[in-house]
Amino acid sequence: MLPIHVISLANARERRDRARRELDAQSVDFEFFDALDGERGAELFGRCDEEAFVLHTGRLPTPGEIGCFASHKALWQRCAEFGEPLLIMEDDFKLTAEFAAAVAAAGELVGDLGLVRLQDERRGASTPVMHYQGFQLERYTKPPHCTMCYALNPGVAGRLVGLHADFRAPVDVMMKHVWTYDNPMYCLTPYTVTGNEFSFGSIIGKRSKTSKTPAVRVRRFLLKAGWQAQRLRFNFSQSDGWIRQRFSAEAEAAPADGG
C-alpha cells in the first residue's frame, strides 16, 4: 500500500489523536510528518513574493500558509528522492469505510497517472475516465481547492519542487495549475475523505483581503483570464483512451472517451 504521511503540527494533540483513531480503524500504516511553521517553512523557499501572492489571492500571506506549503514541499522532495509514490494528508480529515480500498486503488494508478486525489470537493469539475476497483476514476477539467488527501508519484513531485523555489501563493492554488507541471489531476469517486470538525477552525490563521489599487485589480483580472485560457488549452490536449487501454484488465464497464 502507498506510504501515508499525515502533515500535523507536533503539538496538535487533539488533531493527532483524531487522525490516529481514523486511520487505525482502517488498519492502514501511516506516519505523522511534523508540520513546519512559517519561520522554518520560509527556509524552503528562496523568498516570499508578497506582490505575486496578492495577485494570486487578493490578500497578503499568513505564516501558516507558508508553513503549510513548505510542509507539502518537503514531502514532495522526499517522494522525489526516495523514488516511490506516496499519499499526503492533512490532519483535519474524516474517512469513509472505503478509504483503505481507495488508497489501494490509488496506489495501482498513481505511478502512471501522476496525481490522484481522494478528498471531496465542491468547486471543481471533472469528466469520467473509467470504473476501477469499485470506484470511478475521473479527470478534473477544473481542479478544486484544498490539499487534504492526494497521492503523487516521484515525477510529478520533482516537477512541483522545481517549479516552486519561491513562495508565491497557497499550495492548493499552485497545484490547481496543472499545466505548469504538465500532469492532469485525477480523483477517485465516491470520495473517501472529507473534512472533520477541525476543518472549520484552520490553524493557518486569519486571512483577510488587502486593499488593491486599480492597477493591481487589472493585473489580477488579466492573470485569471490567462489561467482560464491555459486550463482550457491543457484540457483540450488531454486524451483518456490510453488510461483505459493501460488498465483494460482491471477496468470495469469503461465509459465513452471523455477526453
Side-chain angles (χ1 to χ4, degrees):
M1 184 172 285
L2 283 169
I4 299 175
H5 298 266
V6 180
I7 297 171
S8 179
L9 289 170
N11 62 356
R13 292 184 179 180
E14 287 187 83
R15 286 171 171 259
R16 288 196 170 202
D17 287 345
R18 171 65 185 267
R20 185 180 291 107
R21 289 196 301 270
E22 290 268 357
L23 291 165
D24 285 349
Q26 299 274 338
S27 298
V28 295
D29 294 328
F30 72 97
E31 65 179 79
F32 285 114
F33 175 84
D34 290 344
L36 303 173
D37 59 24
E39 184 176 351
R40 290 175 57 218
E43 297 174 1
L44 269 68
F45 300 101
R47 68 186 180 115
C48 177
D49 190 337
E50 290 191 351
E51 180 182 4
F53 196 96
V54 170
L55 290 175
H56 277 81
T57 66
R59 57 182 175 77
L60 293 172
T62 69
E65 286 174 311
I66 297 173
C68 179
F69 198 142
S71 299
H72 283 268
K73 184 177 180 180
L75 285 172
W76 298 343
Q77 291 175 328
R78 181 179 298 186
C79 178
E81 290 168 2
F82 279 79
E84 64 177 10
L86 58 80
L87 186 81
I88 297 175
M89 305 183 74
E90 296 171 353
D91 65 3
D92 53 345
F93 58 80
K94 180 180 179 181
L95 308 179
T96 72
E98 293 75 29
F99 172 74
V103 173
E108 296 172 2
L109 294 167
V110 72
D112 291 280
L113 302 188
L115 184 61
V116 181
R117 177 185 168 109
L118 303 185
Q119 179 198 351
D120 64 351
E121 49 81 16
R122 288 175 291 179
R123 291 189 289 177
S126 58
T127 185
V129 177
M130 66 180 181
H131 293 290
Y132 187 83
Q133 304 293 357
F135 297 93
Q136 175 148 285
L137 176 71
E138 301 182 14
R139 172 174 53 82
Y140 284 114
T141 54
K142 181 183 178 184
H145 286 282
C146 202
T147 50
M148 186 182 293
C149 184
Y150 62 95
L152 79 170
N153 70 19
V156 169
R159 292 197 293 276
L160 285 168
V161 170
L163 280 169
H164 301 298
D166 296 331
F167 177 78
R168 294 170 293 148
V171 61
D172 58 340
V173 171
M174 301 312 291
M175 289 187 71
K176 288 176 58 176
H177 298 170
V178 293
W179 59 88
T180 64
Y181 52 97
D182 194 26
N183 198 96
M185 184 183 295
Y186 298 90
C187 63
L188 289 173
T189 63
Y191 294 112
T192 55
V193 181
T194 189
N196 63 27
E197 64 272 18
F198 293 116
S199 298
F200 302 101
S202 174
I203 59 175
I204 284 193
K206 184 178 181 181
R207 292 170 284 191
S208 57
K209 297 292 183 180
T210 187
S211 60
K212 296 175 284 294
T213 65
V216 169
R217 292 180 185 275
V218 170
R219 290 175 66 190
R220 272 178 51 78
F221 173 81
L222 294 175
L223 187 64
K224 290 181 178 181
W227 292 339
Q228 184 171 0
Q230 291 177 87
R231 176 168 57 83
L232 292 173
R233 188 181 304 116
F234 183 80
N235 288 341
F236 185 75
S237 71
Q238 300 305 305
S239 175
D240 301 321
W242 71 270
I243 301 174
R244 292 190 288 274
Q245 184 175 8
R246 166 69 178 83
F247 295 96
S248 59
E250 298 87 357
E252 310 157 7
D257 194 341

